[in-house]
Amino acid sequence: MKQLTDPFNRNITYLRVSVTDHCNYRCHYCRDEDHVTDTTRNEILSYEELARIVRLFAELGITKVRLTGGEPLLRKDILKLATMLGEIPGIDDIPLSTNAHLLSPIANQLQKAGINRVNISIDSLNQDRFEQITRGGDLDKVIQGIDSAIESGMNPIKLNMVVMRGVNDDEIEAMIDFAIERKIDIRFIETMPIGAAGIDAVDHHYSEAEIVKRIRAHLPDRLITVKSKQTAGPAKSYLINNTETSVGTISAVSNNFCSSCNRVRLTAKGQLILCLGQENSISLRDAIRSNMNDNDIKTMIINAITHKPEKHEFDTNMNNINNVQMVEIGG
Ligand code: SAM
């Protein structure tokens, strides 16, 4: 099996695919208030184009493909895509990132189609606050989505909460208890300065050290450090003694984890993004629509990987990536 290795000796085995840049939520740290998504059907990759790109990546050693967005469950026939990707030799893990608003009715079918695990974004357990953060979201629907995912047998299920000072930082403990009660995992994310919305949100930055202090105070002597496993990615995780829940942090700002980066991103419009915090990218959509053959596209991917930046600069230069909307990249 071929391997994609970048100039910093990192093996690239993980592709995050944004299947749509439309989202039914407008979380204020993710997109500008007046941001409009006007992408048309023809601008985004068809499922056939997407499956071809994923197959080429799989032939180059990618084993994990996450479906993200925008909101991936807004894309029509997402079950069909999950099935198509599951049939590609070499792809053995297809997790989903979702806000869960549309999850409840299709959780079972997604699980059967091979979506074996899911990350669900939830930033508050208070309906009014949830509505404010998401600019119109429906907390009840999200909780129904979480419960349906649990019933479907997806495992692990991870809740992702972006912690913001003065916005939702008083809910860290409640969110841990919510996860313990449901026997699922919870991760607390630092705001990242990506796009104007993300840069603004950094005013509410709540550091990993502060989060961990709060977790420890809430669960005295109950945290067991777990070694980062394949599914943990950049998260630092602890198992909570006497529960089936792990609690973790993802701290791109306090703790630059780029030396272990194993991923690249594909936008809905087919742009291959080499680093979440830098602008280097190439268009794979143009390549496949100009009738390039498989070998030439694979060569193009291998060449692109030689330009993967060493690291983001969130920790040293808050403003270097102000020209994007996270909703278009997929997190
Ligand atoms: N709609 C899906 C969801 O809600 O999970 C997938 C896309 S969303 C862009 C993926 C993740 O990015 C979410 O967990 C979201 O909280 C996170 N995210 C977006 N903007 C962020 C920012 N500025 N800082 C930290 N996390 C961010």
Side-chain angles (χ1 to χ4, degrees):
M1 169 70 71
K2 252 194 121 60
Q3 285 214 319
L4 278 176
T5 305
D6 80 357
F8 306 97
N9 224 13
R10 298 172 295 196
N11 282 337
I12 310 303
T13 54
Y14 175 18
L15 178 66
R16 294 178 64 103
V17 175
S18 170
V19 296
T20 175
D21 49 15
H22 288 263
C23 190
N24 43 358
Y25 284 6
R26 308 184 58 86
C27 302
H28 59 66
Y29 51 78
C30 187
R31 63 199 295 199
D32 298 343
E33 187 164 13
D34 54 359
H35 174 250
V36 180
T37 308
D38 51 10
T39 310
T40 59
R41 182 69 193 78
N42 191 44
E43 283 179 282
I44 63 170
L45 296 173
S46 68
Y47 284 166
E48 287 66 30
E49 290 173 325
L50 240 170
R52 179 172 173 212
I53 293 176
V54 170
R55 175 174 58 76
L56 298 177
F57 268 102
E59 289 170 12
L60 292 169
I62 293 276
T63 56
K64 166 174 165 183
V65 178
R66 175 177 298 278
L67 303 182
T68 176
E71 174 46 45
L73 301 187
L74 282 178
R75 179 99 186 238
K76 207 168 155 241
D77 294 332
I78 189 79
L79 289 163
K80 177 178 157 194
L81 177 67
T83 309
M84 285 166 82
L85 298 185
E87 284 165 356
I88 295 173
I91 300 299
D92 57 21
D93 192 12
I94 312 177
L96 169 76
S97 285
T98 175
N99 59 33
H101 182 96
L102 297 169
L103 183 57
S104 185
I106 56 164
N108 255 318
Q109 290 159 282
L110 280 168
Q111 197 273 346
K112 289 201 178 77
I115 306 286
N116 46 350
R117 55 200 188 86
V118 66
N119 289 359
I120 296 176
S121 305
I122 177 167
D123 296 333
S124 177
L125 293 170
N126 171 294
Q127 173 55 37
D128 290 343
R129 189 182 273 175
F130 185 83
E131 216 176 302
Q132 268 169 11
I133 296 173
T134 55
R135 299 196 183 106
D138 182 340
L139 180 63
D140 285 344
K141 278 218 154 123
V142 171
I143 294 179
Q144 277 167 28
I146 294 169
D147 289 337
S148 300
I150 296 169
E151 279 160 31
S152 79
M154 287 179 183
N155 185 28
I157 295 169
K158 293 178 187 163
L159 304 181
N160 282 340
M161 172 184 179
V162 176
V163 184
M164 292 164 282
R165 188 182 307 282
V167 177
N168 62 355
D169 60 303
D170 56 340
E171 291 193 61
I172 291 177
E173 295 78 6
M175 203 62 92
I176 294 172
D177 294 344
F178 178 86
I180 292 176
E181 205 176 289
R182 285 174 164 73
K183 305 184 177 163
I184 58 180
D185 298 333
I186 169 85
R187 297 183 316 177
F188 298 104
I189 303 178
E190 284 184 352
T191 46
M192 288 186 273
I194 297 178
I199 291 167
D200 280 356
V202 167
D203 290 347
H204 298 282
H205 188 73
Y206 201 87
S207 73
E208 179 192 39
E210 292 171 284
I211 297 170
V212 171
K213 206 168 151 195
R214 291 271 296 278
I215 301 173
R216 286 193 185 285
H218 187 55
L219 301 163
D221 302 323
R222 290 185 63 194
L223 299 183
I224 306 162
T225 309
V226 280
K227 265 215 161 131
S228 148
K229 51 182 179 185
Q230 188 225 348
T231 56
K236 274 194 214 159
S237 293
Y238 307 89
L239 208 61
I240 305 173
N241 204 2
N242 292 326
T243 74
E244 292 173 42
T245 293
S246 78
V247 54
T249 52
I250 302 181
S251 54
V253 177
S254 310
N255 167 30
N256 187 310
F257 39 68
C258 300
S259 64
S260 60
C261 183
N262 61 351
R263 64 202 59 194
V264 287
R265 295 169 166 84
L266 185 68
T267 68
K269 293 181 186 165
Q271 207 68 21
L272 179 67
I273 298 193
L274 297 162
C275 168
L276 182 59
Q278 304 281 359
E279 283 172 355
N280 315 49
S281 71
I282 57 160
S283 175
L284 291 181
R285 182 188 68 186
D286 292 351
I288 49 177
R289 292 191 185 171
S290 65
N291 294 324
M292 276 174 75
N293 68 34
D294 285 358
N295 276 339
D296 288 348
I297 297 174
K298 283 201 272 189
T299 304
M300 199 175 157
I301 294 171
I302 293 166
N303 283 339
I305 298 296
T306 66
H307 296 285
K308 184 169 163 63
E310 184 179 9
K311 56 191 175 91
H312 66 67
E313 296 167 46
F314 303 151
D315 36 357
T316 50
N317 178 4
M318 284 279 177
N319 254 312
N320 78 312
I321 182 139
N322 54 15
N323 203 0
V324 298
Q325 304 284 337
M326 184 75 129
V327 68
E328 292 173 359
I329 312 178

